[in-house]
Amino acid sequence: EVKVVESGGDLVQTGGSLRLSCAASGFTFDDYDIGWFRQAPGKEREGLSCIRHSDGSTYHAYSVKGRFTISRDCAKSTVFLQMNSLKPEDTAVYYCNTDQRPFGTYWGKGMLVTVSS
């Protein structure tokens, strides 16, 4: 069974940092891209960052570029999202995702990150 499980969400003050983790299981980690998304209250889900399985290259959305960094530990089948210089507008539920179409798209349950002003 394919699973991605997030951890590391917390309450942090403006300007602080958090590192989120996404532990993957049930598939060959190196075969698929993994990404981070978030959904703030009253807003649509937003794609933040992605790391490609083929070469480890990364993509970051404009809204987080320069503040967030995605990385991976292939030995541990885990993807990380280092978040620095956090702002209140970063408050959201954060999700990990692996798109394995045509077989399926798999989401974690999500976890809350709250940035206090």
Side-chain angles (χ1 to χ4, degrees):
E1 179 185 6
V2 175
K3 284 187 178 179
V4 287
V5 179
E6 306 97 339
S7 62
D10 206 344
L11 169 64
V12 64
Q13 291 187 335
T14 296
S17 298
L18 278 177
R19 189 174 83 153
L20 307 184
S21 298
C22 171
S25 62
F27 63 98
T28 303
F29 184 75
D30 293 347
D31 284 353
Y32 297 98
D33 300 347
I34 293 181
W36 284 99
F37 293 72
R38 70 183 178 189
Q39 188 165 18
K43 295 189 176 182
E44 294 186 354
R45 192 170 293 188
E46 172 190 15
L48 300 177
S49 303
C50 177
I51 188 162
R52 294 183 178 83
H53 70 280
S54 55
D55 60 0
S57 59
T58 62
Y59 160 83
H60 295 87
Y62 178 80
S63 59
V64 302
K65 201 166 188 177
R67 299 189 300 124
F68 291 11
T69 303
I70 191 170
S71 63
R72 65 181 181 179
D73 183 336
C74 294
K76 296 182 178 180
S77 297
T78 300
V79 171
F80 304 99
L81 186 67
Q82 178 67 42
M83 307 190 297
N84 299 327
S85 303
L86 284 163
K87 308 173 183 179
E89 50 263 45
D90 293 319
T91 294
V93 177
Y94 284 70
Y95 298 90
C96 182
N97 167 274
T98 177
D99 186 348
Q100 302 187 8
R101 286 177 286 181
F103 305 108
T105 299
Y106 303 92
W107 294 90
K109 293 182 178 180
M111 61 185 172
L112 182 62
V113 171
T114 303
V115 184
S116 64
S117 57

